Amino acid sequence: MANKAEMMTGADIFINSLLAEGIEHIFGYPGGVVLHIYDAMFKQNKLQHILARHEQGAVHAADGYARSTGKPGVALVTSGPGMTNAVTGIATAYLDSIPLVVITGQVPTALIGNDAFQEVDSVGISRPCTKHNFLVKDVKDLATTIKKAFYIATTGRPGPVVIDIPKDVTADRAIFDYPESITMRSYEPITVGDMGQIKQAAEMILGAKRPIIYTGGGIISGNSSQYLTELTKLLNYPVTQTLMGLGTYPATDRQFIGMLGMHGTYEANMAMHECDVLIAIGARFDDRITGELEKFCPYAKIVHMDIDPASISKNVKVDIPVIGSVEHTLQDLTKIIKEGDKRPDSDAISTWWKQIEEWRAKNCLNYDRDSELIKPQAVLEKLYELTEGDAFVATDVGQHQMFTAQFYKFDQPRRLITSGGLGTMGFGLPAAVGIQMAHPGETVVCVTGEGSIQMCIQELSTCKQFDLPIKIINLNNRYLGMVRQWQELFYDRRYSHTYMEALPDFMKLADSYGHVGIKVEKPADVEAALKEGLALKDRLVFMDFIIDQGEMVYPMVAAGKGHHEMLSREGELA
Amino acid sequence: MRHTISILLENEAGALSQVAGLFAARGYNIESLTVAPTEDDSMSRMTIVTRGSDSIIEQITKQLDKLVDVIKLTDLTEGVHIERELIMVKVNVSEAESEVKRLVDIFRGRIIDVGDGTYTIEMTGTGDKLDAFLKEIGSDLIVEVVRSGVLGIARGGDSLSM
C-alpha cells in the first residue's frame, strides 16, 4: 500500500483505498470512463481483478463472494450500459441485504447532464435499489467516500452501496489519506438491544406452550449461528428457517423442522399455524413466508428481534420488538434465560413435540422414488450424500432452487447461496464464480435449470479464464418449471410460453467453452455421473440431467391460503 | 390521519430525491413538502405533510429514519405544535378593490404589490385560514396563487436540532 499523505491520481487513490479496506478481489468489466482505473490496476498486483463477461455477472460474482465469506463484495463497471447491466445484480443484493460496494464510472463532470456518450443518471437509477449511493465530484472526497461506502454497506442491516465516479475525478490528483475510521451523524446503526425489551421477550418465550423459533438471513448477516444453536438447544424448541436462513441451524438436527412458507414443510407450516409464541429472529415476514396475512399465526404472540426498525411490524404486528444486532440480542437473551429461575414448561413442550412429530410423520417431501424418469429430488439427495453436505451450493431461481432448499441439508451457514428476495434467474453461475474465487479448493456447485442457466451462460468463459472448477447441476426439464407449475395448478394447464424449444446441446456448449459436459438421462446413471463430475477436481463440469418434465414442487401453500392449507401431490394435506 | 413530519437532513445533493423517491416507491402520499437549509448550512430542514393509517405513518417515519442522509426526524402531530403556511395571491381588483382590501384586513394579510388592475397579497396562517381567505375572494377574482406548503415547529421547549 502507498504511504499516507502522498499525492496521487484518483485512480490510484481508488486502488489504494480498496487495499486499505483489505479488499483482495474485484469483479468487473472495463469501459471508456473507467480506463484510468483499469490502467492503475494494470500497474499493481495486490488487487486481483476478475473479468466477468457481462456486468450483471460481475455484480452477482461479487455478491456470491460476499455471501460465502461475510466480507464485502466489490464490483467495478463502466458508465451507461455498464451501469444499467449492473442494476439487476445490485437489486439482488439489496433485497437480500448483502454488503456490496459497486463502483460505476461516470462521464466527466463537465459532461454530466448533457446526454453524453454512455451517460445515465447512475445515482438516480440505483437509488431505490441501494442502501445508499454517492456521486464523487471532487477527487479530494474520493477516499472518504469509499470509506463511508464500506462502512454503510457492512454495518447495521447490510446492503449494496454505489459510488459513481466521473472520469476526470480518476485523473485529478489529491493527497491520499485514507481515514482509519469514520463516524456519520446521520447514520448510527443500533447494535445493542434494549435490555428491558429482551427481558420481556424472555418472559414471553419461557411462558410458551407451543413455541416456534423462526429465523432468516439476519442470522447469517449477524454471524450468529452458534448463538442461535445455543439458545435453541437450551430451550428445546422447534426451529424453522426461511430460504435465506438455511444452514444457520444444523438441518440434520432433530429440532430443525424444515423450511417454512410457500414450499416449506408441512410440520414447519403447521407449527407456525398452531404456535402460541412465535420467536422471529433476523427475518422479515416476507409474503412467501407468511402466506395470506389474515390467516398468519392466528394464536400467536410474536417476539421479533431484528436490526432494522423498519422491519418491525411492517407486515405483521408484533407484540415484543427488540431492535439490535441479533448477535448481541441472542447472547443477552440466552444469558438472561440461563441466569433466571424460570424454565420452559417441559410438559407442554413435550406434548407440542409429540404433535410436531405427528405432522413430520406425514413425510411431506416424499416423491416417487421408483420413477423411470430422473426426479430432481433424487439428484439433490444424491448430491448431498456424495458431497457429505459440505459443498457450497449456489442456485438459480425456480423449482430447482426449492428442491435444493428441501433436499440438500445445510448444516453450516454461508453454504447455500441463493437469490431469495429478488428471485433473480441467472444468479447461480456468476455467484458460483465469486464463491470459487473466495474458496479455491472447495467444492462449489451451481444447481440450475435450463431456463436460468441461459440467462448468464456467458460466465462459462470467465470460469475458463480463471480455472474455476465449478460443478453445474442442470436440472433440465425443457420447461420453465416453476411458471409451468403455476400454469398447471391455476391456469388450467395452459402452458403459455414456458416450453423451452431449441435448447442448445449443453455438451457441445460446455466443450466449446473448454469445459467437460456429462449428460444423464436415466435414474440409474445419476450416481455414477455425479461421482465422475465431482471427481474432476480441476475442471468445470456441466452435468445435464434430463429430468421428469411434470415434476412439481410440493408441498405448497397457494396464494391466498394459510399455513394450514397446504397442497401435496395427493391433494390437500391435513 | 394527517401527520406533519419534520426532518433534519444532510444538505447533500440527492438527499431531497431520496426522500421524494421513498414516498413514490412505497406508495405513500405527500400533501406538501418544504425544504430549505438551516442556520447550519450543512443541514436542511424539511416539513412533510402526509396522510395514512397509524401503521403506515409508523412505516413512513421508520423508512425515512433509515435513509442515510436523514439525521433526525419527529412526527410533530404526536405533540402540540404550530403550523404555518405562506401564500401569495394575485387578485383582479378592477371591480372589487374595496372588498378585497376589507378581506385582506380581516384576514390580516398584506398587499405587497400593485399592478395593472391587480393586487398581490401576502398572507400567513394555518391551511384552514388560507383556504377560507381564498374562498372569500372567490375563484373569479383570483389570477394566481402560490403556496409555500406547511412549515411546522413544536410548541414549548422541544426542538428538533443537533
Side-chain angles (χ1 to χ4, degrees):
Chain A
M1 207 190 109
N3 292 326
K4 282 212 152 185
E6 194 182 320
M7 196 78 173
M8 57 176 80
T9 66
D12 284 324
I13 289 174
F14 173 78
I15 303 281
N16 282 293
S17 297
L18 294 188
L19 292 173
E21 275 300 322
I23 302 304
E24 296 166 345
H25 298 94
I26 180 166
F27 301 85
Y29 204 98
V33 299
V34 286
L35 276 167
H36 295 316
I37 293 177
Y38 272 89
D39 195 46
M41 194 120 57
F42 190 80
K43 294 174 187 160
Q44 59 84 47
N45 58 10
K46 288 177 187 141
L47 183 66
Q48 188 186 359
H49 179 268
I50 296 96
L51 176 67
R53 294 300 182 269
H54 186 287
E55 289 85 354
Q56 182 187 350
V59 181
H60 287 330
D63 183 328
Y65 184 92
R67 290 181 202 236
S68 67
T69 60
K71 295 193 277 190
V74 183
L76 168 63
V77 301
T78 194
S79 63
M83 188 277 158
T84 56
N85 280 344
V87 169
T88 301
I90 296 167
T92 302
Y94 182 64
L95 266 282
D96 288 342
S97 306
I98 304 303
L100 291 190
V101 173
V102 179
I103 300 93
T104 57
Q106 183 55 275
V107 302
T109 43
L111 290 182
I112 289 178
N114 280 6
D115 300 324
F117 176 63
Q118 294 195 325
E119 180 186 1
V120 292
D121 174 9
S122 304
V123 164
I125 288 174
S126 63
R127 184 182 309 114
C129 59
T130 50
K131 185 171 172 187
H132 196 57
N133 59 22
F134 296 97
L135 168 64
V136 184
K137 282 186 170 165
D138 187 329
V139 68
K140 288 201 259 331
D141 300 331
L142 183 56
T144 309
T145 305
I146 294 171
K147 183 76 198 175
K148 280 184 186 170
F150 279 98
Y151 174 58
I152 293 168
T154 56
T155 53
R157 180 174 173 178
V161 176
V162 162
I163 312 175
D164 198 28
I165 310 181
K167 186 172 186 178
D168 53 325
V169 172
T170 62
D172 290 348
R173 298 170 79 85
I175 287 173
F176 174 61
D177 189 4
Y178 198 69
E180 297 264 323
S181 65
I182 203 144
T183 53
M184 295 172 69
R185 63 180 174 185
S186 63
Y187 176 74
E188 295 165 291
I190 302 162
T191 50
V192 181
D194 180 77
M195 209 37 108
Q197 291 291 101
I198 299 175
K199 281 185 180 144
Q200 279 189 42
E203 190 70 21
M204 183 177 278
I205 290 166
L206 290 169
K209 305 222 177 284
R210 301 184 311 279
I212 183 165
I213 300 171
Y214 142 58
T215 71
I219 306 289
I220 292 180
S221 311
N223 293 312
S224 298
S225 263
Q226 66 183 103
Y227 309 123
L228 170 65
T229 307
E230 188 185 353
L231 176 72
T232 308
K233 288 281 170 200
L234 177 69
L235 294 167
N236 187 34
Y237 288 0
V239 58
T240 181
Q241 297 187 316
T242 68
L243 180 67
M244 301 315 298
L246 294 177
T248 53
Y249 187 89
T252 50
D253 186 84
R254 177 191 65 90
Q255 278 171 257
F256 180 68
I257 60 171
M259 184 170 74
L260 80 162
M262 186 171 275
H263 292 297
T265 64
Y266 180 64
E267 51 270 32
N269 282 337
M270 286 304 288
M272 287 292 286
H273 185 72
E274 296 292 330
C275 73
D276 70 340
V277 174
L278 174 63
I279 306 152
I281 315 170
R284 62 183 179 91
F285 298 83
D286 170 84
D287 56 277
R288 285 294 189 268
I289 291 304
T290 60
E292 179 62 38
L293 279 174
E294 280 177 16
K295 298 175 181 174
F296 179 75
C297 294
Y299 317 112
K301 293 275 184 197
I302 303 176
V303 177
H304 188 189
M305 306 171 220
D306 203 284
I307 200 162
D308 178 11
S311 283
I312 306 278
S313 294
K314 183 172 70 180
N315 302 331
V316 173
K317 186 91 189 133
V318 306
D319 297 283
I320 301 179
V322 182
I323 298 162
S325 80
V326 292
E327 190 181 2
H328 284 101
T329 305
L330 278 169
Q331 290 182 76
D332 288 343
L333 180 62
T334 306
K335 188 157 174 276
I336 286 169
I337 292 173
K338 274 186 176 166
E339 288 173 358
D341 300 328
K342 198 168 170 181
R343 290 287 161 257
D345 181 342
S346 58
D347 288 348
I349 300 306
S350 127
T351 309
W352 179 227
W353 269 116
K354 273 191 198 118
Q355 172 65 70
I356 290 171
E357 292 304 339
E358 275 177 36
W359 290 324
R360 179 137 62 184
K362 299 253 183 196
N363 198 9
C364 68
L365 295 178
N366 203 16
Y367 63 94
D368 177 11
R369 285 161 205 275
D370 304 319
S371 169
E372 288 179 6
L373 300 167
I374 298 176
K375 291 286 183 182
Q377 299 97 322
V379 178
L380 285 156
E381 278 186 329
K382 194 50 80 178
L383 177 71
Y384 169 74
E385 192 186 309
L386 294 173
T387 54
E388 297 173 341
D390 200 31
F392 287 88
V393 182
T395 81
D396 269 302
V397 172
Q399 287 185 318
H400 69 268
Q401 180 187 31
M402 292 297 107
F403 288 133
T404 306
Q406 292 176 335
F407 288 88
Y408 198 101
K409 298 184 191 71
F410 293 92
D411 279 348
Q412 299 170 69
R414 301 193 181 283
R415 290 297 167 123
L416 171 62
I417 309 293
T418 193
S419 166
L422 195 68
T424 308
M425 289 172 71
F427 173 79
L429 178 58
V433 167
I435 302 164
Q436 190 80 76
M437 284 306 303
H439 303 276
E442 301 276 347
T443 301
V444 178
V445 179
C446 168
V447 180
T448 183
E450 83 290 345
S452 286
I453 191 71
Q454 291 191 85
M455 284 211 183
C456 273
I457 193 83
Q458 74 286 347
E459 299 305 327
L460 283 174
S461 176
T462 310
C463 295
K464 184 62 189 172
Q465 183 174 347
F466 292 88
D467 287 323
L468 304 176
I470 295 161
K471 306 295 175 260
I472 296 173
I473 309 288
N474 189 39
L475 298 173
N476 184 345
N477 64 353
R478 286 83 68 212
Y479 271 112
L480 299 175
M482 190 57 95
V483 184
R484 178 192 183 277
Q485 173 161 345
W486 282 59
Q487 290 171 336
E488 172 148 348
L489 293 172
F490 312 119
Y491 294 87
D492 286 334
R493 305 187 177 184
R494 291 185 297 276
Y495 301 128
S496 179
H497 298 273
T498 44
Y499 183 68
M500 290 291 255
E501 280 180 274
L503 284 173
D505 179 335
F506 287 111
M507 298 305 94
K508 284 185 186 158
L509 184 97
D511 186 57
S512 79
Y513 276 109
H515 302 306
V516 177
I518 300 175
K519 189 170 187 172
V520 194
E521 293 177 280
K522 291 202 286 288
D525 298 335
V526 168
E527 181 167 0
L530 281 169
K531 276 185 177 163
E532 184 190 345
L534 290 166
L536 288 168
K537 295 280 183 203
D538 56 350
R539 296 297 297 276
L540 183 147
V541 185
F542 194 116
M543 289 171 255
D544 189 23
F545 292 89
I546 309 302
I547 62 165
D548 183 353
Q549 289 193 286
E551 189 53 290
M552 308 235 278
V553 183
Y554 282 115
M556 177 175 187
V557 180
K561 298 287 185 182
H563 283 144
H564 59 305
E565 301 169 302
M566 293 199 86
L567 285 172
S568 73
R569 263 175 207 84
E570 290 78 34
E572 194 150 333
L573 267 160
Chain B
M1 199 185 138
R2 180 179 177 276
H3 283 250
T4 305
I5 298 168
S6 208
I7 306 169
L8 269 185
L9 74 166
E10 295 289 352
N11 190 7
E12 297 270 353
L16 168 63
S17 63
Q18 286 199 4
V19 173
L22 173 76
F23 275 76
R26 294 189 182 266
Y28 305 142
N29 297 308
I30 299 186
E31 268 190 24
S32 79
L33 182 158
T34 66
V35 63
T38 63
E39 76 288 359
D40 169 354
D41 65 8
S42 71
M43 285 189 281
S44 297
R45 171 88 176 230
M46 182 182 276
T47 310
I48 292 181
V49 178
T50 181
R51 268 178 204 278
S53 63
D54 288 354
S55 62
I56 288 182
I57 297 295
E58 184 183 335
Q59 265 300 304
I60 290 175
T61 54
K62 283 172 168 178
Q63 294 290 352
L64 283 169
D65 213 11
K66 206 167 142 178
L67 294 176
V68 169
D69 281 337
V70 169
I71 301 166
K72 260 186 178 179
L73 68 86
T74 182
D75 182 352
L76 289 174
T77 316
E78 283 175 357
V80 280
H81 68 285
I82 304 162
E83 285 184 13
R84 287 292 181 272
E85 232 182 309
L86 167 73
I87 51 170
M88 290 189 278
V89 198
K90 197 167 285 185
V91 181
N92 185 341
V93 291
S94 47
E95 286 169 19
E97 187 174 355
S98 60
E99 172 67 4
V100 168
K101 270 185 167 166
R102 196 175 64 88
L103 283 170
V104 169
D105 241 20
I106 292 170
F107 281 87
R108 288 186 293 282
R110 292 198 302 153
I111 296 163
I112 53 172
D113 192 33
V114 177
D116 192 13
T118 64
Y119 281 178
T120 300
I121 300 152
E122 165 199 289
M123 187 176 291
T124 59
T126 60
D128 285 353
K129 171 188 156 182
L130 302 179
D131 288 344
F133 173 71
L134 293 174
K135 192 171 164 230
E136 286 307 317
I137 293 283
S139 57
D140 291 350
L141 297 186
I142 293 173
V143 178
E144 186 180 6
V145 179
V146 52
R147 291 179 84 131
S148 65
V150 172
L151 300 176
I153 195 164
R155 279 195 186 273
D158 293 348
S159 74
L160 180 71
S161 54
M162 288 299 290

